[in-house]
Every structure is written in structure tokens, then in C-alpha cells.
Amino acid sequence: MTTLVIKNLAVSVGGTQILNDVSLTINSGEVHAVMGPNGAGKSTLSAALMGKPGYTVTSGSVTLDGVDVLALPTWQRATAGLHLIMQYPTEIPGVMLQEAMSAALDARNQDSRQLKQLIETEAKRIGFDPELVTRSVNVDFSGGEKKRSETLQLSVLQPKIAILDELDSGLDIDALRDCAQRVEDATREINLGVLVITHYSRLFEQLKPDFVHILTNGRIVKSAGPELADELEVTGYAAYTNV
Ligand code: ADP
Ligand code: MG
């Protein structure tokens, strides 16, 4: 059982305060959706959690099973069990996808001898062409291939908590279904805890949220059960943007 506790988190970017007083607790196996309009601060939250340069935590804390995440460099946050699927996955010319996963397993002191077999099995589950693992990470991948590649990395590395920043942006319906279903499966197979960031509820058809939080203007203004996502489908964010 793992718990990620985000307490009263405030984050500034380039001297501008973007997030204020954000608190969330995510346990193993739970799916928390953070929904909000463009510019609300959703990607800022994911960047701050992973330690992206330029994102300054001005107050608050983030702990993973009591360990101060904010004191760790990004790679140690990853080996501690945090995993981010980025809204716009980074292309890394010259770094082969398979080698990147092998190095990531080594950094976790996990056996990488079965990696080829694991990649074949996992690639098949999400409809990813396993040949692509011999190419540079995300370079010249289509939008769907990029998100499938990111989902493949998640399923191979088996993190404790995954942050999905708009998994649904830039990919077609089939790829979204495959990726969202794979993450939903992981909540049961490896008890993965999930923070899923989106502004559409379409991906909830596969990945079922237990909690839905509305983030607007850098604050969480409402938290409720999955019914809140259904309400948002009808009303939009208008009722919450001036809270
Ligand atoms: P969302 O993901 O919810 O659409 P973001 O977290 O990307 O929102 O952005 C929140 C706000 O922070 C926006 O007003 C955006 O312009 C600003 N912002 C994000 N990143 C930067 C940055 N690197 N420099 C300056 N402003 C930024
Ligand atoms: Mg964003």
C-alpha cells in the first residue's frame, strides 16, 4: 500500500503564482481525476510533482509513503515509484526506447533480462508495434504511437503512482481506449494509484475514477465522486470558474 500526499501545495512559474493550496491524497488502487479548463494549472501540477525545472514550489509538501518527494531529483522520484505520462511526450533522438526501459529497470535494481519478452507481451496488449522499441524514444512517432509508447513504459516499469497529463490529447479513439484500459488494468494488477488529468470525461469509459476534483485558477474548488464528471459533461466549468 502506497500513499502520495500533496498538502497545501503552491507553485510559481517565472515569478507568477500558478497553483495555490492544492491538497490531494492518492492511495494505491485509487483513481483520482483532476479536471479543469485550459490554463487552470493542471500541467503545472504534474510538472511540480515530477520536479520539472522552472517550477518552484513556494509552499506545501509532497510525500510518497512519508518520503519528501520535493527533496529528490526527478530520477529519484521515478525510482521511488512516481511515473508521469506527459501531455506532449518528449522526443529523445539517439536514445532507443528499449535501452531507455532497460536503463530504468537497472536504476530500480530490477531484472531486465526478461525485458524483451515483457515488451512483446505488453506491446500486444495495447496494440503497439514492438519494432518501434528499436527506434529513438518518440521520434517520428504518431500521436497515438507516442501515448502507446508512454503507456508501454508505464506497464514495463510498474510504478506505484502514475500521473497521466491529458492522456487523451493527440491520439485517436482506439489508442485512447487501449491506453486507458491498460492503466485501469494496472489499478487491479499492480494496485497502481492514478492521478488522471483531463478536461474531457471520455477516457473514464475505460479508466474509472473513484474521485473527481475540479481545478480552476490554480485551486481545487470541488471534490466528489465520479458523478461530478457526469455533471461537468452537462454544465461545463462555468459554475466553478468564479469560485
Ligand atoms: P493546464 O494544463 O491546466 O492547461 P498549465 O498548467 O499548462 O494549465 O498552465 C497554467 C498557467 O500557467 C497558464 O496561465 C500558463 O500560461 C502558465 N504557465 C505554465 N507554464 C508556464 C511557463 N513555463 N512560463 C510561464 N507561464 C506558464
Ligand atoms: Mg495541460
Side-chain angles (χ1 to χ4, degrees), residues 204-225:
F204 301 156
E205 284 173 27
Q206 279 79 34
L207 181 58
K208 308 280 184 203
D210 301 296
F211 304 93
V212 174
H213 311 275
I214 301 178
L215 181 76
T216 63
N217 300 320
R219 289 178 189 276
I220 290 183
V221 294
K222 183 159 184 173
S223 295

Side-chain angles (χ1 to χ4, degrees), residues 13-14 18 36-45 55 87 165-166 215:
V13 185
I18 306 292
N38 281 322
K42 304 184 299 297
S43 292
T44 300
L45 176 61
Y55 292 75
Q87 182 169 5
D165 189 2
E166 299 206 26
L215 181 76

Side-chain angles (χ1 to χ4, degrees), residues 101-137:
M101 286 190 281
S102 176
L105 286 174
D106 288 346
R108 289 161 172 74
N109 292 320
Q110 283 173 26
D111 192 357
S112 59
R113 280 173 302 178
Q114 306 299 321
L115 181 60
K116 266 207 162 106
Q117 184 56 49
L118 187 56
I119 286 172
E120 292 232 331
T121 309
E122 289 296 343
K124 195 176 250 177
R125 286 181 72 172
I126 54 169
F128 184 74
D129 178 358
E131 292 296 312
L132 293 178
V133 299
T134 59
R135 297 214 332 230
S136 292
V137 176

Side-chain angles (χ1 to χ4, degrees), residues 12-71:
S12 73
V13 185
T16 306
Q17 201 67 36
I18 306 292
L19 289 182
N20 292 289
D21 206 23
V22 170
S23 296
L24 283 174
T25 298
I26 300 162
N27 293 303
S28 291
E30 292 177 354
V31 177
H32 289 252
V34 169
M35 305 186 73
N38 281 322
K42 304 184 299 297
S43 292
T44 300
L45 176 61
S46 67
L49 291 175
M50 289 312 291
K52 186 173 176 182
Y55 292 75
T56 308
V57 173
T58 51
S59 61
S61 63
V62 180
T63 57
L64 186 68
D65 291 335
V67 172
D68 179 7
V69 166
L70 300 178

